[in-house]
Amino acid sequence: NGKYFDEQFNQVRLNFRPNADLFLNFLLRIEDVVDFANTRLGKSSRFGPEVTYNWGPHLQLNLEHTLQEFDVDGGRLFTANFTDGRITYQFTARSFLRFTMQYTDTDRDPDLYINPVQSVNKNLGTQLLYSYRMNAASRFFIGYSDAGFQNDSFDAIESTNRTVFAKLSYAWQM
């Protein structure tokens, strides 16, 4: 809308591996960010821990979470939580099975927005994926995924789609 803003970003990331099987990562970010929907500058803080654990040679567990709070003049514009969990079982160097679950929960203050917005927005998606690598450039996938959402109109997460899929990616070698 023809306005310019000065933004400032401050970030600290700490990660360490206390042993061969465990990886820990922490992110803290405090920043001035433009609220593009309402053409104004706000203050955002993000906190994001991540844990990856290798349980033996075949099983890996990964959990990430991000919390973001966005404040503007007048109060808290929104609070957003994003969680991503993955469990991967590596059968061989060529094949694995992975289950993924992603959950987003955003709470907004509609009074702080120029245009109407939902005060509640939740999304939940899951996926089960099997992958087999035939050679360095060829792979086969088969899987299932589903998704759902919740907003001010629903009391719980409503299913929106379910998908069964397969994909073959083959590279011709000459």
Side-chain angles (χ1 to χ4, degrees):
N1 293 334
K3 292 188 177 183
Y4 292 91
F5 299 96
D6 289 325
E7 298 175 296
Q8 181 178 347
F9 302 89
N10 303 289
Q11 178 173 302
V12 175
R13 181 180 296 273
L14 302 170
N15 56 61
F16 57 101
R17 186 176 293 279
N19 60 48
D21 297 325
L22 182 62
F23 174 76
L24 302 170
N25 183 39
F26 299 95
L27 169 71
L28 177 61
R29 185 171 173 136
I30 298 172
E31 55 195 344
D32 298 329
V33 181
V34 175
D35 170 14
F36 290 101
N38 302 295
T39 314
R40 61 184 165 195
L41 193 62
K43 296 216 178 279
S44 170
S45 61
R46 295 184 204 191
F47 175 67
E50 175 186 357
V51 177
T52 300
Y53 184 72
N54 295 317
W55 198 324
H58 299 285
L59 186 63
Q60 182 180 73
L61 310 171
N62 182 273
L63 183 62
E64 292 182 52
H65 182 77
T66 301
L67 166 66
Q68 180 180 11
E69 297 176 335
F70 196 123
D71 296 322
V72 295
D73 289 340
R76 169 95 12 106
L77 187 65
F78 69 81
T79 300
N81 284 282
F82 174 71
T83 303
D84 184 337
R86 296 169 190 246
I87 299 171
T88 305
Y89 189 83
Q90 191 83 34
F91 295 102
T92 66
R94 293 179 176 252
S95 69
F96 69 84
L97 180 68
R98 179 175 59 220
F99 175 73
T100 303
M101 183 176 75
Q102 295 178 327
Y103 176 71
T104 305
D105 181 359
T106 305
D107 293 315
R108 294 181 186 89
D109 183 348
D111 295 334
L112 297 176
Y113 285 81
I114 294 171
N115 296 314
V117 296
Q118 300 283 327
S119 63
V120 173
N121 186 1
K122 297 180 182 183
N123 293 285
L124 176 64
T126 62
Q127 182 185 74
L128 184 63
L129 176 71
Y130 174 75
S131 172
Y132 180 77
R133 182 174 44 92
M134 295 168 272
N135 59 43
S138 301
R139 214 175 258 269
F140 171 72
F141 299 96
I142 188 167
Y144 167 83
S145 67
D146 61 22
F149 81 100
Q150 177 184 349
N151 60 21
D152 294 344
S153 301
F154 300 101
D155 294 331
I157 293 178
E158 296 289 321
S159 180
T160 56
N161 62 43
R162 292 187 176 121
T163 306
V164 175
F165 59 90
K167 177 183 176 184
L168 175 62
S169 172
Y170 187 79
W172 298 101
Q173 298 177 356
M174 297 184 169

